[in-house]
Amino acid sequence: MIVIEGLHKSFDSHSVLKGVEFHIDRGDSAAIIGRSGCGKSVLLKLIIGLIRPDRGEVRIGGKIINDLSERELMTIRRKFGMVFQGAALFDSLTVAENIGFVLSREKTLTPGAISRKVDQALEMVELHGTRDKKPAELSGGMRKRVGLARALVYEPEIILYDEPTTGLDPVVADSIDKLIQKVSRQLEITSVAVTHDMRTAGRVGQKILMLHNGIIYIQGDADKLFKSTDPVVHRFVNGISDPKDATFKN
Ligand SMILES: Nc1ncnc2c1ncn2[C@@H]1O[C@H](COP(=O)(O)OP(=O)(O)O)[C@@H](O)[C@H]1O
Ligand SMILES: [Mg+2]
């Protein structure tokens, strides 16, 4: 479903991705982990064609997306649901309006049909009775659920999560992880979550890919990563700082 080959991306002289390669099969759920600033969000943007690579290839469902026109990209992006880090909801709109926003704008469905889709999506994320609330009235976990419902309403084939649990307390984070698992199982969606949280990665990713120094440093299930004797992997999964790493000396 998603095939990445030799992906390079720099910003000015700062080389972020230096030959990233991996593939994710249809229906699988993967987690991409790595330290803050290692390029996880950049990688997601490359996957949906929001930014273009310097070198390398992104193939979605067999189609190379790198050289597509903006118009062709729109068709590919229709396959994707994206759940952004900060939920990115419109404060002035209700939950239902937020979820149905793009569908209403497209005007291909009747208001009644949109309303039914919104209710189905709210049902899936277990948020009953919130359709007329404003985002400000919701907790952080509930806002994440609305963000997910907004992605689900387009019936995506692939769903991408950017830091789905960052900023949530561990119990709420666990409930979001369970929801992500439920969604990928019940709707048979291919899912990719990027996160710096190893706990979330272990729960939502059948396959975990660790991005480090611009490449996929190791991949496998959570057990493989936890048992790894590689010092970089060992420190990351156990949350241990590297005494040689200057960024931690403050
Ligand atoms: N549009 C951009 N212009 C310049 N630098 C960028 C841009 N987007 C990301 N970067 C840099 O790329 C690196 C990786 O960023 P990002 O993918 O956001 O990291 P994270 O793994 O925390 O999501 C960072 O050093 C960031 O400053
Ligand atoms: Mg990020």
Side-chain angles (χ1 to χ4, degrees):
M1 192 72 187
I2 303 176
V3 178
I4 308 287
E5 276 173 11
L7 207 61
H8 286 71
K9 183 71 191 173
S10 300
F11 295 102
D12 301 320
S13 61
H14 178 32
S15 162
V16 179
L17 303 183
K18 307 175 199 169
V20 168
E21 315 220 323
F22 63 86
H23 65 91
I24 296 165
D25 295 334
R26 188 179 291 272
D28 269 6
S29 42
I32 299 173
I33 56 165
R35 297 264 306 275
S36 288
C38 75
K40 302 183 294 299
S41 297
V42 166
L43 184 54
L44 283 189
K45 286 177 192 154
L46 285 161
I47 294 177
I48 51 173
L50 276 179
I51 55 176
R52 290 180 194 270
D54 302 331
R55 258 198 290 156
E57 223 170 70
V58 176
R59 284 207 299 277
I60 304 297
K63 204 171 170 75
I64 301 171
I65 66 152
N66 305 136
D67 299 319
L68 296 185
S69 66
E70 198 51 39
R71 200 191 172 81
E72 292 169 307
L73 273 175
M74 294 287 272
T75 320
I76 300 280
R77 280 196 205 120
R78 247 349 205 126
K79 292 180 193 277
F80 286 101
M82 176 89 192
V83 181
F84 294 99
Q85 192 160 353
L89 303 174
F90 296 111
D91 291 333
S92 59
L93 301 184
T94 65
V95 165
E97 288 165 344
N98 263 289
I99 297 171
F101 185 74
V102 177
L103 291 181
S104 305
R105 216 177 41 182
E106 285 179 349
K107 295 197 173 67
T108 50
L109 295 173
T110 63
I114 294 173
S115 181
R116 280 191 295 279
K117 277 184 176 290
V118 167
D119 284 337
Q120 275 171 7
L122 280 172
E123 181 95 11
M124 180 53 83
V125 302
E126 297 151 22
L127 266 190
H128 321 274
T130 58
R131 68 183 337 274
D132 299 319
K133 290 196 167 19
K134 293 280 176 62
E137 298 173 71
L138 305 177
S139 67
M142 288 163 98
R143 280 199 292 274
K144 291 270 187 192
R145 285 170 192 266
V146 175
L148 177 52
R150 190 179 47 185
L152 291 177
V153 87
Y154 309 113
E155 297 167 17
E157 292 176 44
I158 305 168
I159 189 154
L160 305 176
Y161 301 89
D162 196 351
E163 305 278 4
T165 57
T166 300
L168 301 176
D169 81 48
V171 177
V172 177
D174 180 56
S175 75
I176 297 293
D177 291 340
K178 290 196 171 114
L179 182 59
I180 293 173
Q181 288 171 288
K182 180 183 103 170
V183 164
S184 25
R185 273 201 219 108
Q186 284 191 7
L187 305 178
E188 293 172 10
I189 298 179
T190 307
S191 69
V192 183
V194 309
T195 177
H196 64 257
D197 185 341
M198 188 56 204
R199 241 184 335 187
T200 283
R203 287 194 290 239
V204 305
Q206 298 160 322
K207 168 152 110 174
I208 302 177
L209 305 116
M210 180 173 172
L211 186 61
H212 177 70
N213 279 348
I215 58 162
I216 299 297
Y217 191 77
I218 183 172
Q219 56 179 296
D221 59 13
D223 201 43
K224 175 175 171 185
L225 268 67
F226 275 115
K227 285 188 178 141
S228 170
T229 53
D230 181 280
V232 170
V233 179
H234 177 78
R235 280 197 298 270
F236 183 86
V237 299
N238 293 293
I240 302 164
S241 67
D242 180 356
K244 292 195 293 294
D245 187 341
T247 56
F248 289 121
K249 289 189 186 142
N250 49 28

